[in-house]
Amino acid sequence: MLEDIAIRRTRPGDIDSISRIEQVSFKDPWKAAVFAESLTYFPETFFVAARQGEVVGFIVGGLEDTGEEIYGHICNLAVAPACRKQGIARRLVQREEQQFAVELATGVQLEVRVSNRDAQRFYRRLGYRAVLRFAGYYANGEDALVMMKWFR
Ligand SMILES: CC(C)(COP(=O)(O)OP(=O)(O)OC[C@H]1O[C@@H](n2cnc3c(N)ncnc32)[C@H](O)[C@@H]1OP(=O)(O)O)[C@@H](O)C(=O)NCCC(=O)NCCS
């Protein structure tokens, strides 16, 4: 099943499909324009998972350079509900981590809602650990858990 999944860089024509997955995946979905902007700024670290040409998942990442360290940031990740629990998100994250490593990042950071236990477990299995909590990070006042993984 996973063999027919291709992970490739996002193209402008993918934005509509990505937005549809986003709408059914989050309480406060990104607008299509935000995805288009992300593609302009981070074309190297914005990937989709496609099955027979159809986009079934995506990951948006970016690189941040603090002057002392470069680290990757996973900004958004979702898989179409019908395609979950098949290992697609794992492949998207692994492809993203590979790209971050190529760009000499020392680690990866992401934020996840404290209520999103499924996503937290998913990231923990991939080696991410909760490092701190941002109070009131989301529009509805919910806290974010910051999770990190270090490459060395
Ligand atoms: C979180 C999310 C991206 C995971 O996507 P996914 O493609 O289902 O993830 P995977 O299939 O790689 O892994 C999910 C689980 O399925 C399991 N799994 C993978 N392949 C499997 C298979 N063939 N059979 C059964 N289970 C399987 C994995 O072990 C994993 O278990 P875990 O969560 O206990 O570690 C997805 O649930 C989603 O889009 N959620 C809504 C948006 C969201 O919360 N995004 C993250 C916010 S930061």
Side-chain angles (χ1 to χ4, degrees):
M1 233 177 177
L2 205 51
E3 300 84 63
D4 62 355
I5 293 289
I7 307 291
R8 62 162 173 80
R9 288 215 166 75
T10 300
R11 306 171 191 138
D14 299 323
I15 302 286
D16 283 352
S17 308
I18 290 169
S19 292
R20 277 195 292 276
I21 296 169
E22 172 81 2
Q23 291 289 332
V24 296
S25 298
F26 293 102
K27 293 180 205 157
D28 52 349
W30 286 14
K31 293 195 169 72
V34 178
F35 286 110
E37 198 173 300
S38 301
L39 188 54
T40 304
Y41 286 116
F42 306 118
E44 300 295 319
T45 48
F46 188 169
F47 296 96
V48 292
R51 177 175 274 150
Q52 289 162 357
E54 186 195 348
V55 172
V56 295
F58 65 85
I59 187 164
V60 183
L63 280 159
E64 294 179 26
D65 189 343
T66 64
E68 288 174 1
E69 272 196 275
I70 299 171
Y71 66 97
H73 195 159
I74 294 177
C75 308
N76 200 339
L77 165 71
V79 170
C83 300
R84 290 179 189 164
K85 305 270 179 202
Q86 297 171 20
I88 295 173
R90 171 181 280 261
R91 280 196 52 197
L92 282 164
V93 170
Q94 287 171 340
R95 180 65 186 88
E96 189 72 282
E97 289 174 351
Q98 183 191 20
Q99 189 62 35
F100 287 152
V102 164
E103 310 273 359
L104 305 179
T106 51
V108 187
Q109 178 185 320
L110 61 92
E111 292 84 32
V112 58
R113 284 179 182 272
V114 288
S115 62
N116 194 349
R117 306 303 289 264
D118 284 353
Q120 289 164 34
R121 192 183 54 236
F122 163 78
Y123 284 123
R124 262 198 305 277
R125 283 228 201 155
L126 289 176
Y128 290 77
R129 296 292 174 260
V131 290
L132 59 123
R133 192 170 165 138
F134 285 151
Y137 181 82
Y138 294 99
N140 69 346
E142 186 172 348
D143 293 357
L145 213 54
V146 179
M147 300 184 80
M148 290 203 70
K149 176 175 177 173
W150 288 268
F151 293 147
R152 52 181 154 80

